[in-house]
Amino acid sequence: MGLVALTTACGPGGSTTTTPSSSSATSSTASSPAAVVPGEKPVGGPATCTSVEVIPGVMGPVDMPAPERTFATVPLALRNTGSVECTLFGFPGVSFTGEDGRTFDAPRSEVPHSAVVLAPGATAHATLRVHLGDNGTGWHVRSVSVTPPNTDQTQRFEWKWGPLEAYSQVISAETVVLPVTAG
């Protein structure tokens, strides 16, 4: 399955350019800075990442506490496409748009998180945890938009993983975004 990604790059004077591209996930090294308290923004260290490529992964089951409930995850790779080391901190923004035109912004989890330092070309990950529905009663999602932490560079992807739980239940279910982690 081909993946769609968004590459952003800072040009002269801080201007931003956006270019759609096809890509596949690559593994690189990422590390957490030493002087960061989980849940707090980093002090010192590399600047915040502004050139980030988002790559949605393949969904797979997480758990099934009851036969009628199915949870799944969509891993989101966040790759530093800039030429210098930079820092990602927190959560990507994730917003679903249904075939019916309604939207839903996935809430952030309460999982503790730390800053992740990315070398040029290195990749960090975040996870979108969703509660799936069925074709008859589920909310049919058309697309999902992802905004990397600390940026305003949103990339929209076609949602290919089936319906979520009914819209009225999605907004109160366990659909959640987990923080950026190294690796």
Side-chain angles (χ1 to χ4, degrees), residues 8 38 43 70 114 131 179:
T8 60
V43 177
T70 303
S114 299
H131 189 191

Side-chain angles (χ1 to χ4, degrees), residues 5-92:
L6 174 72
T7 304
T8 60
C10 259
S15 64
T16 303
T17 58
T18 305
T19 308
S21 65
S22 292
S23 181
S24 61
T26 59
S27 67
S28 308
T29 58
S31 63
S32 296
V36 175
V37 176
E40 294 184 10
K41 289 187 177 181
V43 177
T48 301
C49 293
T50 58
S51 300
V52 180
E53 175 183 37
V54 177
I55 307 165
V58 175
M59 183 186 284
V62 174
D63 56 35
M64 290 181 241
E68 69 277 2
R69 295 179 58 165
T70 303
F71 294 94
T73 61
V74 178
L76 301 169
L78 303 163
R79 188 170 68 90
N80 175 7
T81 60
S83 59
V84 298
E85 188 174 71
C86 64
T87 303
L88 280 178
F89 178 80
F91 302 80

Side-chain angles (χ1 to χ4, degrees), residues 52-142:
V52 180
E53 175 183 37
V54 177
I55 307 165
V58 175
M59 183 186 284
V62 174
D63 56 35
M64 290 181 241
E68 69 277 2
R69 295 179 58 165
T70 303
F71 294 94
T73 61
V74 178
L76 301 169
L78 303 163
R79 188 170 68 90
N80 175 7
T81 60
S83 59
V84 298
E85 188 174 71
C86 64
T87 303
L88 280 178
F89 178 80
F91 302 80
V94 177
S95 180
F96 295 94
T97 301
E99 291 176 357
D100 58 6
R102 292 186 290 184
T103 62
F104 172 70
D105 294 332
R108 296 172 175 170
S109 72
E110 295 182 14
V111 173
H113 54 281
S114 299
V116 176
V117 175
L118 293 176
T123 303
H125 292 86
T127 301
L128 173 60
R129 186 171 188 236
V130 296
H131 189 191
L132 299 174
D134 64 49
N135 263 342
T137 61
W139 182 45
H140 293 265
V141 175
R142 177 182 27 211

Side-chain angles (χ1 to χ4, degrees), residues 128-182:
L128 173 60
R129 186 171 188 236
V130 296
H131 189 191
L132 299 174
D134 64 49
N135 263 342
T137 61
W139 182 45
H140 293 265
V141 175
R142 177 182 27 211
S143 64
V144 61
S145 298
V146 179
T147 306
N150 311 307
T151 74
D152 59 2
Q153 302 300 314
T154 300
Q155 170 62 52
R156 181 176 295 204
F157 301 97
E158 179 182 353
W159 184 257
K160 298 180 180 183
W161 299 286
L164 299 182
E165 191 171 43
Y167 183 81
S168 61
Q169 294 170 324
V170 167
I171 59 176
S172 64
E174 296 86 358
T175 295
V176 68
V177 180
L178 299 172
V180 173
T181 59

